[in-house]
Amino acid sequence: MRILVMGAGAVGSAIGGYLSRNHEVLLVGRGAHMDAMADHGLAIDGILGSSQHTPLVCKEGALKDHPFLQKPLDWVLITVKSP
């Protein structure tokens, strides 16, 4: 499956990271978090243990032209905060 995760903060990154084990996943988020994942991958530490993941990442402003969007998506997850 091809999955787009909009809002790759704590929740979106964890969900997208686990999904990236078996699916094509693009995480879209902001700033330094996306830069760090692009450089080092995504490390998840929690109740399920520690694991390393390598989903595709994209800063929010660059999504429009991202090659991941050239093929149809199966799922779009929106994991953003709402004050």
Side-chain angles (χ1 to χ4, degrees), residues 2-58:
R2 295 173 46 76
I3 302 166
L4 173 67
V5 179
M6 295 294 299
V11 172
S13 292
I15 292 170
Y18 286 122
L19 287 171
S20 72
R21 286 182 171 171
N22 299 309
H23 304 287
E24 291 180 78
V25 176
L26 176 64
L27 301 179
V28 180
R30 294 191 218 173
H33 184 55
M34 294 294 105
D35 291 336
M37 280 196 284
D39 292 342
H40 308 289
L42 173 62
I44 300 175
D45 297 311
I47 61 172
L48 299 175
S50 298
S51 55
Q52 185 73 26
H53 307 269
T54 54
L56 297 171
V57 298
C58 175

Side-chain angles (χ1 to χ4, degrees), residues 52-75:
Q52 185 73 26
H53 307 269
T54 54
L56 297 171
V57 298
C58 175
K59 286 187 179 178
E60 60 185 351
L63 180 62
K64 178 179 162 186
D65 300 321
H66 199 282
F68 190 80
L69 299 181
Q70 298 299 316
K71 295 180 184 176
L73 300 170
D74 295 299
W75 287 91

